[in-house]
Amino acid sequence: MTNQAKGMKLNIEGLRKSFGSKTVLQGIDLEIQPGEFVAIVGRSGCGKSTMLRLIAGLDTPSGGDILLNGKYTQQRINPTMRMMFQDARLLPWQRVLANVELGLLGSNSKIYAKQTALQVLREVGLEDRAHEWPSVLSGGQRQRVALARALASKPSVLLLDEPLGALDALTRIEMQQLLERLWKEQGFTALLITHDVEEAVVLADRVVLIENGQISMNVKIDLPRPRARGDAKFARTVERILDRVMGKQESLHQELLQSEKELIGESSYYLNSINAA
């Protein structure tokens, strides 16, 4: 991480969200430090994306608070935040450069907006495609453009809603490396939603598991960067979190309890048989 984090501290306190009679989030409490990279994992429908939308101001919570640098958010959509989605959401009638400039709406200088857009395109390796149409780009290139657009305004918080989920394996690894490099260089606070536990361990300082609308696990990833996928400790960390996501540890715990009860029952029967004799 950068020596001086430029990101904002994010506090989530008692966050709740219901849709009619269905409760999706039940009192989420989470503290994210400035410049920290946190990944949220969990099964489909557990409330991961809903939480991100609430933080981004795209939806209204049913209860609880979201604080940035200790202050309650007054604006519905905070200008210090940017969000990336699974699809790039580029405007097909605008060229690549113009799509990136959309991340600088409100800039008083067209020259500044153009120069900044070209700079961030250079950072994601697409400066030479600035005047292309989005339709001629690959999926990975379109996501690079979306990342450039999100970072053009130098956000303090970057929210990532499975932005790499639709990419092929090799392109996904390249995008992970790019995202990690830019995060280390710029120091923004990052919150990633992903179904890929390995991706979470590769990128994050912490991995948080949401189950039934609540945080059930919060694990610090104590591995040096860049993370080596072939490392034994890396593999054990991924396996431990994946087992928890899949509920294997809970199943194993229940099996051990059942075995213990059966053993106690057999012992009691044996002792009673001896006493009866």
Side-chain angles (χ1 to χ4, degrees):
M1 194 188 302
T2 53
N3 293 329
Q4 293 183 336
K6 301 174 185 176
M8 301 183 78
K9 183 176 182 180
L10 179 63
N11 286 87
I12 301 168
E13 299 178 348
L15 192 63
R16 293 182 291 105
K17 181 62 180 178
S18 298
F19 297 97
S21 60
K22 181 176 177 58
T23 300
V24 179
L25 295 175
Q26 305 182 54
I28 295 288
D29 293 302
L30 182 63
E31 182 177 293
I32 301 174
Q33 297 301 319
E36 189 176 14
F37 201 128
V38 174
I40 309 291
V41 299
R43 291 176 175 271
S44 296
C46 71
K48 305 185 300 297
S49 293
T50 297
M51 186 179 77
L52 212 65
R53 290 178 60 84
L54 294 176
I55 295 170
L58 299 176
D59 205 347
T60 305
S62 303
D65 294 302
I66 299 169
L67 294 83
L68 290 172
N69 282 347
K71 298 179 180 179
Y72 294 99
T73 54
Q74 302 296 325
Q75 297 163 294
R76 178 69 185 271
I77 298 179
N78 196 297
T80 64
M81 290 186 180
R82 287 294 183 268
M83 189 166 179
M84 273 188 72
F85 300 90
Q86 186 169 351
D87 55 325
R89 303 193 179 189
L90 304 180
L91 301 182
W93 59 87
Q94 295 279 13
R95 296 185 188 270
V96 166
L97 183 62
N99 269 283
V100 176
E101 288 178 3
L102 288 173
L104 292 160
L105 284 178
S107 173
N108 295 323
S109 170
K110 291 184 177 180
I111 295 176
Y112 170 78
K114 183 176 181 179
Q115 290 177 341
T116 302
L118 284 171
Q119 178 185 342
V120 290
L121 279 172
R122 188 180 308 120
E123 290 174 353
V124 302
L126 287 178
E127 184 182 14
D128 61 334
R129 310 302 295 271
H131 302 291
E132 301 276 8
W133 297 104
S135 59
V136 304
L137 302 180
S138 68
Q141 289 171 333
R142 287 195 291 270
Q143 283 300 77
R144 284 173 182 257
V145 175
L147 178 58
R149 181 181 59 195
L151 296 179
S153 64
K154 298 180 174 59
S156 298
V157 180
L158 183 61
L159 305 175
L160 303 153
D161 192 2
E162 298 188 67
L164 314 183
L167 303 179
D168 64 82
L170 292 179
T171 304
R172 188 166 185 159
I173 290 173
E174 290 176 350
M175 281 294 294
Q176 289 168 359
Q177 293 171 343
L178 173 63
L179 183 58
E180 182 179 22
R181 175 174 65 79
L182 293 174
W183 165 71
K184 291 168 72 175
E185 290 174 357
Q186 300 186 20
F188 51 81
T189 303
L191 186 57
L192 167 71
I193 301 297
T194 180
H195 280 97
D196 187 340
V197 172
E198 183 176 282
E199 179 174 89
V201 176
V202 164
L203 290 172
D205 297 315
R206 278 190 292 147
V207 176
V208 174
L209 170 63
I210 294 182
E211 290 180 310
N212 301 317
Q214 297 178 317
I215 292 177
S216 60
M217 184 184 70
N218 191 335
V219 177
K220 181 179 180 181
I221 307 301
D222 189 19
L223 294 170
R225 293 180 183 273
R227 308 270 162 79
R229 286 176 166 82
D231 179 72
K233 188 175 181 181
F234 177 90
R236 287 196 299 271
T237 303
V238 171
E239 184 178 13
R240 179 163 60 96
I241 296 173
L242 186 58
D243 283 349
R244 185 65 184 83
V245 172
M246 300 299 292
K248 291 183 179 180
Q249 290 184 354
E250 183 177 349
S251 298
L252 179 61
H253 179 65
Q254 295 296 330
E255 289 176 8
L256 289 173
L257 286 177
Q258 183 62 32
S259 297
E260 185 177 352
K261 289 179 181 179
E262 291 175 357
L263 182 61
I264 292 173
E266 291 176 359
S267 299
S268 299
Y269 176 78
Y270 179 71
L271 288 173
N272 290 334
S273 298
I274 293 176
N275 292 332

